[in-house]
Amino acid sequence: DIQMTQSPSTLSASVGDRVTITCRASQSISTWLAWYQQKPGKAPELLIYKASSLGSGVPSRFGGSGSGTEFTLTISSLQPDDFASYYCQQYNSHPWTFGQGTKVEIK
Amino acid sequence: QLQLQESGPGLVKPSETLSLTCTVSDGSISSSRYYWVWIRQPPGRGLEWIGSISSTGTTYYNPSLKSRVTLSVDTSKNQFSLRLTSVTAADTAVYYCARSVGGSHDYWGQGTLVTVSS
């Protein structure tokens, strides 16, 4: 199985901050990576697919980059609605696997 | 807008079988573009992919669960289903169904909590 490791596990930030979350794969996954946002008690929502393509209706302050084994999710200016947990997921090969998650908290 | 809704018992006894159904509305489950997936999340923990099924019945399973999982699809009812046998407390989780396009999941159900307890 491909292991996905996110860092940090928790991130404290303020409204307006630029935030970066990293996801590392245990082997190359090309650009077969998605990012999801999950709020408490809700289903995850797709933010980014194929490493850098924005999901439908996702605000442009969200951006994804990377290829191979290292990827980043960037929020250019953190908004109150962005305090949530974020997960990366590889779909290069089965079984599809998720990172352990990054919780973005209010500083 | 496509909608997915999970249904099934919220409480299952240890060693019994967990059965859930996902009903797809405002869209067809029969498109060859998509796979239909089950994902679960134990309380306070991360996401685990269980398996995927196409409208023609092609399946992929997580090896960690493969011996206990069966996915099926009923295109006449626009539904797909999950069976997980011999459950234990470790199978307690919120179970989500979702649509997969190329491997990323763009539409999700709201999730249903299944508790394994006697």
Side-chain angles (χ1 to χ4, degrees):
Chain A
D1 298 6
I2 297 175
Q3 306 303 314
M4 306 300 293
T5 304
Q6 288 181 232
S7 60
S9 296
T10 306
L11 186 160
S12 296
S14 302
V15 172
D17 284 354
R18 181 180 180 88
V19 166
T20 299
I21 299 169
T22 297
C23 179
R24 288 187 173 88
S26 60
Q27 63 188 74
S28 178
I29 59 170
S30 184
T31 55
W32 301 116
L33 184 100
W35 290 97
Y36 302 88
Q37 178 193 69
Q38 186 180 33
K39 296 178 181 176
K42 300 293 187 182
E45 295 184 359
L46 179 65
L47 294 175
I48 301 286
Y49 63 97
K50 212 164 182 301
S52 60
S53 296
L54 208 60
S56 177
V58 175
S60 58
R61 64 180 179 273
F62 290 94
S65 64
S67 66
T69 62
E70 188 153 337
F71 302 86
T72 58
L73 172 71
T74 300
I75 309 173
S76 60
S77 178
L78 198 65
Q79 298 302 301
D81 192 48
D82 301 338
F83 291 97
S85 293
Y86 294 84
Y87 293 90
C88 61
Q89 177 230 328
Q90 68 82 19
Y91 50 100
N92 178 75
S93 61
H94 289 104
W96 295 332
T97 46
F98 292 86
Q100 81 280 14
T102 295
K103 186 175 182 179
V104 177
E105 298 181 328
I106 301 173
K107 192 172 184 179
Chain B
Q1 168 141 321
L2 190 78
Q3 295 186 60
L4 295 90
Q5 178 68 58
E6 305 89 351
S7 59
L11 181 64
V12 181
K13 289 182 168 57
S15 80
E16 295 191 346
T17 296
L18 180 161
S19 295
L20 295 174
T21 295
C22 183
T23 300
V24 179
S25 56
D26 296 324
S28 174
I29 202 172
S30 298
S31 172
S32 60
R33 283 192 64 199
Y34 308 115
Y35 271 73
W36 305 90
V37 309
W38 289 96
I39 291 162
R40 69 180 183 179
Q41 184 172 37
R45 299 183 63 183
L47 299 161
E48 180 182 32
W49 172 75
I50 298 170
S52 306
I53 187 166
S54 72
S55 60
T56 58
T58 300
T59 53
Y60 296 92
Y61 296 126
N62 192 323
S64 67
L65 298 168
K66 187 173 183 178
S67 63
R68 299 194 291 131
V69 170
T70 303
L71 302 190
S72 59
V73 63
D74 186 339
T75 54
S76 67
K77 294 182 179 179
N78 232 31
Q79 294 177 334
F80 61 106
S81 299
L82 164 70
R83 287 185 75 247
L84 181 66
T85 62
S86 304
V87 297
T88 70
D91 296 309
T92 294
V94 175
Y95 285 77
Y96 295 102
C97 60
R99 186 180 81 171
S100 176
V101 51
S104 60
H105 315 309
D106 58 352
Y107 286 94
W108 295 64
Q110 64 185 26
T112 186
L113 174 63
V114 179
T115 301
V116 178
S117 176
S118 55

